[in-house]
């Protein structure tokens, strides 16, 4: 992962800890990043070996402030706000996709209409790496 995409999300601190947990029921994982004991990033990833259900991407982010459908650098869809993102990344086949839920918290969240750009930069770097890692796409 590009350090430049993660650095804006991480506050200054003396202790950074990552906890990665592989999913048991189907391909996927969750990851928590904490700085000085405070959670700053949580990501939940699931690979689905079926076609995705229809989604109204203009409404997905409606419960979250400043969230809207945003263009991403990979094949798929995303609703991204300043502190939350829901993503559906297309796999190389029509019968598989990956879903991502990203929660960003702490003093680096910019709760403004343009605050999503920090999270978008991370997502554009992170999602293609994970879809490749889970065999959804090939680089």
């Amino acid at each position: 992962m590009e350090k430049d995409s993660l650095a804006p999300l991480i506050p200054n601190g003396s202790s950074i800890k990552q906890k990665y947990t592989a999913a048991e029921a189907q391909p996927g994982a969750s990851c928590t990043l904490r700085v000085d004991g405070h959670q700053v990033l949580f990501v939940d990833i699931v690979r689905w070996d079926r076609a995705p259900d229809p989604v109204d991407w203009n409404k997905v982010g409606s419960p979250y402030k400043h969230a809207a459908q945003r263009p991403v650098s990979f094949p798929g869809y995303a609703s991204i706000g300043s502190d939350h993102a829901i993503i559906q990344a297309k796999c190389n086949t029509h019968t598989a996709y990956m879903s991502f839920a990203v929660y960003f918290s702490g003093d680096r969240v910019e709760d403004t209409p343009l605050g999503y750009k920090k999270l978008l930069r991370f997502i554009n770097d992170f999602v293609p790496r994970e879809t490749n890692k889970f065999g959804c796409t090939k680089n």
Side-chain angles (χ1 to χ4, degrees):
M1 176 171 323
E2 294 293 323
K3 185 178 178 182
D4 291 347
S5 71
L6 187 58
L9 307 179
I10 308 301
N12 294 329
S14 57
S15 167
I16 297 177
K17 293 191 177 169
Q18 176 184 342
K19 181 180 180 188
Y20 179 92
T21 307
E24 294 181 18
Q26 66 188 81
S30 64
C31 183
T32 305
L33 192 63
R34 296 181 178 275
V35 176
D36 293 341
H38 301 284
Q39 180 176 303
V40 294
L41 192 62
F42 175 80
V43 181
D44 190 48
I45 305 165
V46 180
R47 180 187 162 130
W48 301 91
D49 290 319
R50 62 175 176 80
D53 293 329
V55 174
D56 183 344
W57 286 98
N58 292 318
K59 290 185 179 178
V60 167
S62 62
Y64 305 100
K65 205 169 181 183
H66 307 298
Q69 183 175 358
R70 314 273 183 202
V72 288
S73 66
F74 50 87
Y77 304 94
S79 176
I80 304 170
S82 53
D83 66 352
H84 186 86
I86 302 293
I87 301 134
Q88 188 180 86
K90 294 179 182 179
C91 292
N92 287 344
T93 69
H94 292 294
T95 57
Y97 71 99
M98 290 186 69
S99 62
F100 294 76
V102 180
Y103 304 90
F104 172 38
S105 57
D107 64 359
R108 293 287 177 104
V109 173
E110 292 179 24
D111 194 15
T112 68
L114 295 179
Y116 76 91
K117 290 184 176 189
K118 244 186 222 185
L119 202 49
L120 176 62
R121 187 173 175 189
F122 167 74
I123 288 164
N124 279 336
D125 182 39
F126 179 76
V127 170
R129 292 173 187 275
E130 292 301 305
T131 58
N132 190 24
K133 178 179 171 182
F134 282 93
C136 172
T137 58
K138 302 283 184 238
N139 283 347

